[in-house]
Amino acid sequence: MKFFVDTADTADIADLAATGLLDGVTTNPSLIAKSGRDFLEVTREICALVDGPVSAEVVALDHEGMMREAEILRKIASNVCIKVPLTVDGLKTCKKLTGDGTMVNVTLCFSANQALLAAKAGATFISPFIGRHDDNGFDGLDLIRDMRLIYDNYAFGTEILAASIRHPVHVLECAKIGADVMTAPPAVIRQLFKHVLTDKGIEGFLADWAKTGQSL
Ligand code: G3P
């Protein structure tokens, strides 16, 4: 399973990239706003921090506008992945861009039928929003299960990028179902490293080591 971080905070991205476990980055207009940075400038900086795909989202709602914005964004770096919303114009744009060899992440996916359309449009990634699905009384993980089944039925190459991940159990369940990628906020990725018994074990080993009076 690939790990992407869902943020536009370059300090967090650099810190997580240093673990060697980061495969890419996703951003969206809300995360860019939160960073307080210039969109193009921060995207350029992020693209230099990771080798993998960096999703940068268009804000136009019409196909022509999306294509115009995608032209600007894809010039930033070769690892830019254009993020488009799951709308008719978004999928038209997806088809055109992937046909030209540009990576596309289709975002705001809330149904398996939408995911089927994105795969048919040649999307590189499809982003189902698990947390927001849960927030609205649905089971976001059921959506991932349905998508996995459908994509496997037809051997679609589109990668399922589980998004709107809120906690480590989402990550675990997505890995069990077989999502190709998950994108999570930095705090959730850091939580994955933690276990109370790991901390307790280290504490015990260090206490016993101190008793030996040895040093390395
Ligand atoms: O980047 C898209 C997605 O991960 C947003 O998550 O937490 O705002 O629902 P959230």
Side-chain angles (χ1 to χ4, degrees), residues 1 15 21 35 40 46 51 56 59-61 68 77 90 102 105 122 128-129 138 158 170 181 206 213:
M1 185 190 225
D15 183 55
L21 303 177
S35 77
L40 300 185
I46 294 170
D51 293 331
V59 287
L61 296 178
R68 191 186 55 75
T102 300
N105 177 358
F129 278 28
F138 303 98
T158 300
H170 275 157
V181 192
L206 288 184

PDB file of all heavy atoms in Angstrom, residues 1 15 21 35 40 46 51 56 59-61 68 77 90 102 105 122 128-129 138 158 170 181 206 213:
ATOM      1  N   MET A   1       0.841  -1.193   0.000  1.00  0.00           N
ATOM      2  CA  MET A   1       0.000   0.000   0.000  1.00  0.00           C
ATOM      3  C   MET A   1       0.882   1.252   0.000  1.00  0.00           C
ATOM      4  O   MET A   1       1.802   1.367   0.817  1.00  0.00           O
ATOM      5  CB  MET A   1      -0.864   0.002   1.268  1.00  0.00           C
ATOM      6  CG  MET A   1      -1.865   1.129   1.325  1.00  0.00           C
ATOM      7  SD  MET A   1      -2.621   1.214   2.963  1.00  0.00           S
ATOM      8  CE  MET A   1      -4.314   1.422   2.549  1.00  0.00           C
ATOM      9  N   ASP A  15       9.629  16.194   6.886  1.00  0.00           N
ATOM     10  CA  ASP A  15       9.844  15.320   8.041  1.00  0.00           C
ATOM     11  C   ASP A  15       9.420  13.879   7.716  1.00  0.00           C
ATOM     12  O   ASP A  15      10.152  12.927   7.992  1.00  0.00           O
ATOM     13  CB  ASP A  15       9.036  15.883   9.220  1.00  0.00           C
ATOM     14  CG  ASP A  15       9.246  15.086  10.488  1.00  0.00           C
ATOM     15  OD1 ASP A  15      10.426  14.942  10.883  1.00  0.00           O
ATOM     16  OD2 ASP A  15       8.264  14.595  11.073  1.00  0.00           O
ATOM     17  N   LEU A  21       9.286   6.468   3.863  1.00  0.00           N
ATOM     18  CA  LEU A  21       8.030   5.722   3.727  1.00  0.00           C
ATOM     19  C   LEU A  21       6.950   6.485   2.961  1.00  0.00           C
ATOM     20  O   LEU A  21       5.843   5.996   2.797  1.00  0.00           O
ATOM     21  CB  LEU A  21       7.475   5.360   5.118  1.00  0.00           C
ATOM     22  CG  LEU A  21       8.402   4.545   6.024  1.00  0.00           C
ATOM     23  CD1 LEU A  21       7.773   4.319   7.386  1.00  0.00           C
ATOM     24  CD2 LEU A  21       8.743   3.211   5.382  1.00  0.00           C
ATOM     25  N   SER A  35      -2.317  26.498   4.520  1.00  0.00           N
ATOM     26  CA  SER A  35      -0.860  26.728   4.518  1.00  0.00           C
ATOM     27  C   SER A  35      -0.531  28.225   4.485  1.00  0.00           C
ATOM     28  O   SER A  35       0.559  28.633   4.872  1.00  0.00           O
ATOM     29  CB  SER A  35      -0.198  26.031   3.318  1.00  0.00           C
ATOM     30  OG  SER A  35      -0.413  26.773   2.129  1.00  0.00           O
ATOM     31  N   LEU A  40       1.133  28.037  -6.451  1.00  0.00           N
ATOM     32  CA  LEU A  40       2.154  27.533  -7.371  1.00  0.00           C
ATOM     33  C   LEU A  40       3.499  27.368  -6.664  1.00  0.00           C
ATOM     34  O   LEU A  40       4.207  26.367  -6.867  1.00  0.00           O
ATOM     35  CB  LEU A  40       2.297  28.452  -8.585  1.00  0.00           C
ATOM     36  CG  LEU A  40       1.025  28.629  -9.436  1.00  0.00           C
ATOM     37  CD1 LEU A  40       1.333  29.471 -10.667  1.00  0.00           C
ATOM     38  CD2 LEU A  40       0.445  27.284  -9.864  1.00  0.00           C
ATOM     39  N   ILE A  46       6.807  21.372  -2.814  1.00  0.00           N
ATOM     40  CA  ILE A  46       6.395  20.002  -2.445  1.00  0.00           C
ATOM     41  C   ILE A  46       6.916  19.006  -3.484  1.00  0.00           C
ATOM     42  O   ILE A  46       7.420  17.937  -3.133  1.00  0.00           O
ATOM     43  CB  ILE A  46       4.851  19.905  -2.315  1.00  0.00           C
ATOM     44  CG1 ILE A  46       4.358  20.760  -1.144  1.00  0.00           C
ATOM     45  CG2 ILE A  46       4.417  18.451  -2.128  1.00  0.00           C
ATOM     46  CD1 ILE A  46       2.830  20.927  -1.082  1.00  0.00           C
ATOM     47  N   ASP A  51       9.546  12.224  -4.599  1.00  0.00           N
ATOM     48  CA  ASP A  51       9.677  11.758  -5.980  1.00  0.00           C
ATOM     49  C   ASP A  51       8.310  11.381  -6.561  1.00  0.00           C
ATOM     50  O   ASP A  51       8.100  11.458  -7.763  1.00  0.00           O
ATOM     51  CB  ASP A  51      10.571  10.507  -6.038  1.00  0.00           C
ATOM     52  CG  ASP A  51      12.003  10.842  -5.662  1.00  0.00           C
ATOM     53  OD1 ASP A  51      12.427  11.988  -5.900  1.00  0.00           O
ATOM     54  OD2 ASP A  51      12.686   9.947  -5.119  1.00  0.00           O
ATOM     55  N   ALA A  56      -2.376  18.301  -7.270  1.00  0.00           N
ATOM     56  CA  ALA A  56      -2.684  19.733  -7.218  1.00  0.00           C
ATOM     57  C   ALA A  56      -4.040  19.904  -7.905  1.00  0.00           C
ATOM     58  O   ALA A  56      -4.220  19.465  -9.043  1.00  0.00           O
ATOM     59  CB  ALA A  56      -1.600  20.534  -7.937  1.00  0.00           C
ATOM     60  N   VAL A  59      -9.466  24.558  -9.860  1.00  0.00           N
ATOM     61  CA  VAL A  59     -10.618  25.172  -9.198  1.00  0.00           C
ATOM     62  C   VAL A  59     -11.706  25.578 -10.195  1.00  0.00           C
ATOM     63  O   VAL A  59     -12.819  25.909  -9.801  1.00  0.00           O
ATOM     64  CB  VAL A  59     -10.206  26.384  -8.323  1.00  0.00           C
ATOM     65  CG1 VAL A  59      -9.488  25.923  -7.071  1.00  0.00           C
ATOM     66  CG2 VAL A  59      -9.350  27.379  -9.093  1.00  0.00           C
ATOM     67  N   ALA A  60     -11.391  25.528 -11.490  1.00  0.00           N
ATOM     68  CA  ALA A  60     -12.416  25.824 -12.501  1.00  0.00           C
ATOM     69  C   ALA A  60     -13.451  24.702 -12.485  1.00  0.00           C
ATOM     70  O   ALA A  60     -13.136  23.572 -12.113  1.00  0.00           O
ATOM     71  CB  ALA A  60     -11.770  25.920 -13.883  1.00  0.00           C
ATOM     72  N   LEU A  61     -14.672  25.027 -12.909  1.00  0.00           N
ATOM     73  CA  LEU A  61     -15.719  24.007 -12.923  1.00  0.00           C
ATOM     74  C   LEU A  61     -16.024  23.517 -14.332  1.00  0.00           C
ATOM     75  O   LEU A  61     -16.677  22.498 -14.519  1.00  0.00           O
ATOM     76  CB  LEU A  61     -16.998  24.549 -12.276  1.00  0.00           C
ATOM     77  CG  LEU A  61     -16.867  24.886 -10.777  1.00  0.00           C
ATOM     78  CD1 LEU A  61     -18.173  25.460 -10.243  1.00  0.00           C
ATOM     79  CD2 LEU A  61     -16.474  23.647  -9.976  1.00  0.00           C
ATOM     80  N   ARG A  68      -7.114  24.728 -18.906  1.00  0.00           N
ATOM     81  CA  ARG A  68      -6.216  25.893 -18.825  1.00  0.00           C
ATOM     82  C   ARG A  68      -5.417  25.850 -17.519  1.00  0.00           C
ATOM     83  O   ARG A  68      -4.203  26.040 -17.510  1.00  0.00           O
ATOM     84  CB  ARG A  68      -7.058  27.184 -18.916  1.00  0.00           C
ATOM     85  CG  ARG A  68      -6.261  28.457 -19.108  1.00  0.00           C
ATOM     86  CD  ARG A  68      -7.139  29.704 -19.047  1.00  0.00           C
ATOM     87  NE  ARG A  68      -7.938  29.800 -17.830  1.00  0.00           N
ATOM     88  CZ  ARG A  68      -7.453  30.132 -16.637  1.00  0.00           C
ATOM     89  NH1 ARG A  68      -6.173  30.417 -16.495  1.00  0.00           N
ATOM     90  NH2 ARG A  68      -8.238  30.175 -15.575  1.00  0.00           N
ATOM     91  N   ALA A  77       6.219  20.577 -12.431  1.00  0.00           N
ATOM     92  CA  ALA A  77       7.200  19.488 -12.294  1.00  0.00           C
ATOM     93  C   ALA A  77       6.611  18.231 -12.918  1.00  0.00           C
ATOM     94  O   ALA A  77       5.391  18.141 -13.104  1.00  0.00           O
ATOM     95  CB  ALA A  77       7.516  19.242 -10.817  1.00  0.00           C
ATOM     96  N   GLY A  90     -15.168  17.347 -15.085  1.00  0.00           N
ATOM     97  CA  GLY A  90     -13.961  16.793 -14.468  1.00  0.00           C
ATOM     98  C   GLY A  90     -13.518  15.522 -15.180  1.00  0.00           C
ATOM     99  O   GLY A  90     -12.329  15.320 -15.453  1.00  0.00           O
ATOM    100  N   THR A 102      -0.678  12.598 -18.805  1.00  0.00           N
ATOM    101  CA  THR A 102      -0.610  13.328 -17.528  1.00  0.00           C
ATOM    102  C   THR A 102      -1.360  12.535 -16.452  1.00  0.00           C
ATOM    103  O   THR A 102      -2.436  12.006 -16.708  1.00  0.00           O
ATOM    104  CB  THR A 102      -1.267  14.722 -17.689  1.00  0.00           C
ATOM    105  OG1 THR A 102      -0.550  15.431 -18.692  1.00  0.00           O
ATOM    106  CG2 THR A 102      -1.260  15.518 -16.396  1.00  0.00           C
ATOM    107  N   ASN A 105      -5.855  12.634 -10.687  1.00  0.00           N
ATOM    108  CA  ASN A 105      -6.513  12.126  -9.486  1.00  0.00           C
ATOM    109  C   ASN A 105      -7.939  12.677  -9.505  1.00  0.00           C
ATOM    110  O   ASN A 105      -8.137  13.892  -9.442  1.00  0.00           O
ATOM    111  CB  ASN A 105      -5.738  12.621  -8.254  1.00  0.00           C
ATOM    112  CG  ASN A 105      -6.372  12.222  -6.928  1.00  0.00           C
ATOM    113  OD1 ASN A 105      -7.426  11.596  -6.907  1.00  0.00           O
ATOM    114  ND2 ASN A 105      -5.732  12.612  -5.841  1.00  0.00           N
ATOM    115  N   GLY A 122     -10.212   6.778 -17.475  1.00  0.00           N
ATOM    116  CA  GLY A 122      -8.750   6.578 -17.479  1.00  0.00           C
ATOM    117  C   GLY A 122      -8.014   7.207 -16.313  1.00  0.00           C
ATOM    118  O   GLY A 122      -6.796   7.434 -16.396  1.00  0.00           O
ATOM    119  N   PRO A 128     -11.909   8.209  -3.063  1.00  0.00           N
ATOM    120  CA  PRO A 128     -13.127   8.130  -2.255  1.00  0.00           C
ATOM    121  C   PRO A 128     -12.857   8.742  -0.882  1.00  0.00           C
ATOM    122  O   PRO A 128     -11.813   8.488  -0.281  1.00  0.00           O
ATOM    123  CB  PRO A 128     -13.367   6.614  -2.140  1.00  0.00           C
ATOM    124  CG  PRO A 128     -12.021   5.986  -2.334  1.00  0.00           C
ATOM    125  CD  PRO A 128     -11.195   6.932  -3.173  1.00  0.00           C
ATOM    126  N   PHE A 129     -13.781   9.561  -0.399  1.00  0.00           N
ATOM    127  CA  PHE A 129     -13.611  10.272   0.885  1.00  0.00           C
ATOM    128  C   PHE A 129     -14.269   9.473   2.011  1.00  0.00           C
ATOM    129  O   PHE A 129     -15.461   9.639   2.290  1.00  0.00           O
ATOM    130  CB  PHE A 129     -14.250  11.660   0.786  1.00  0.00           C
ATOM    131  CG  PHE A 129     -13.394  12.708   0.131  1.00  0.00           C
ATOM    132  CD1 PHE A 129     -12.433  12.384  -0.811  1.00  0.00           C
ATOM    133  CD2 PHE A 129     -13.563  14.053   0.447  1.00  0.00           C
ATOM    134  CE1 PHE A 129     -11.653  13.361  -1.422  1.00  0.00           C
ATOM    135  CE2 PHE A 129     -12.791  15.046  -0.141  1.00  0.00           C
ATOM    136  CZ  PHE A 129     -11.835  14.692  -1.079  1.00  0.00           C
ATOM    137  N   PHE A 138     -23.022   7.072   6.254  1.00  0.00           N
ATOM    138  CA  PHE A 138     -22.737   5.916   5.400  1.00  0.00           C
ATOM    139  C   PHE A 138     -21.465   5.255   5.912  1.00  0.00           C
ATOM    140  O   PHE A 138     -20.763   5.817   6.745  1.00  0.00           O
ATOM    141  CB  PHE A 138     -22.525   6.354   3.943  1.00  0.00           C
ATOM    142  CG  PHE A 138     -23.684   7.112   3.368  1.00  0.00           C
ATOM    143  CD1 PHE A 138     -23.675   8.506   3.336  1.00  0.00           C
ATOM    144  CD2 PHE A 138     -24.781   6.444   2.858  1.00  0.00           C
ATOM    145  CE1 PHE A 138     -24.740   9.215   2.814  1.00  0.00           C
ATOM    146  CE2 PHE A 138     -25.856   7.143   2.329  1.00  0.00           C
ATOM    147  CZ  PHE A 138     -25.834   8.537   2.309  1.00  0.00           C
ATOM    148  N   THR A 158      -6.897   1.935 -12.679  1.00  0.00           N
ATOM    149  CA  THR A 158      -7.033   3.092 -11.785  1.00  0.00           C
ATOM    150  C   THR A 158      -6.749   2.669 -10.343  1.00  0.00           C
ATOM    151  O   THR A 158      -7.283   1.665  -9.877  1.00  0.00           O
ATOM    152  CB  THR A 158      -8.467   3.673 -11.887  1.00  0.00           C
ATOM    153  OG1 THR A 158      -8.680   4.079 -13.235  1.00  0.00           O
ATOM    154  CG2 THR A 158      -8.669   4.855 -10.949  1.00  0.00           C
ATOM    155  N   HIS A 170      -8.963   3.333   9.991  1.00  0.00           N
ATOM    156  CA  HIS A 170      -9.265   3.522   8.563  1.00  0.00           C
ATOM    157  C   HIS A 170      -8.124   2.971   7.714  1.00  0.00           C
ATOM    158  O   HIS A 170      -8.349   2.300   6.702  1.00  0.00           O
ATOM    159  CB  HIS A 170      -9.439   5.014   8.228  1.00  0.00           C
ATOM    160  CG  HIS A 170     -10.825   5.554   8.469  1.00  0.00           C
ATOM    161  ND1 HIS A 170     -11.062   6.888   8.682  1.00  0.00           N
ATOM    162  CD2 HIS A 170     -12.035   4.946   8.502  1.00  0.00           C
ATOM    163  CE1 HIS A 170     -12.371   7.092   8.829  1.00  0.00           C
ATOM    164  NE2 HIS A 170     -12.980   5.920   8.734  1.00  0.00           N
ATOM    165  N   VAL A 181      -3.645   2.914  -2.371  1.00  0.00           N
ATOM    166  CA  VAL A 181      -2.980   4.055  -1.755  1.00  0.00           C
ATOM    167  C   VAL A 181      -3.876   4.576  -0.643  1.00  0.00           C
ATOM    168  O   VAL A 181      -5.095   4.445  -0.717  1.00  0.00           O
ATOM    169  CB  VAL A 181      -2.818   5.229  -2.767  1.00  0.00           C
ATOM    170  CG1 VAL A 181      -1.876   6.287  -2.247  1.00  0.00           C
ATOM    171  CG2 VAL A 181      -2.409   4.746  -4.147  1.00  0.00           C
ATOM    172  N   LEU A 206      15.674  -0.074  28.444  1.00  0.00           N
ATOM    173  CA  LEU A 206      16.665   0.957  28.808  1.00  0.00           C
ATOM    174  C   LEU A 206      16.973   0.934  30.305  1.00  0.00           C
ATOM    175  O   LEU A 206      18.124   1.130  30.718  1.00  0.00           O
ATOM    176  CB  LEU A 206      16.195   2.343  28.374  1.00  0.00           C
ATOM    177  CG  LEU A 206      16.233   2.595  26.857  1.00  0.00           C
ATOM    178  CD1 LEU A 206      15.851   4.028  26.543  1.00  0.00           C
ATOM    179  CD2 LEU A 206      17.605   2.270  26.259  1.00  0.00           C
ATOM    180  N   GLY A 213      25.605  -1.083  33.431  1.00  0.00           N
ATOM    181  CA  GLY A 213      26.718  -0.148  33.524  1.00  0.00           C
ATOM    182  C   GLY A 213      27.524  -0.076  32.239  1.00  0.00           C
ATOM    183  O   GLY A 213      28.598   0.529  32.202  1.00  0.00           O
TER     184      GLY A 213
END
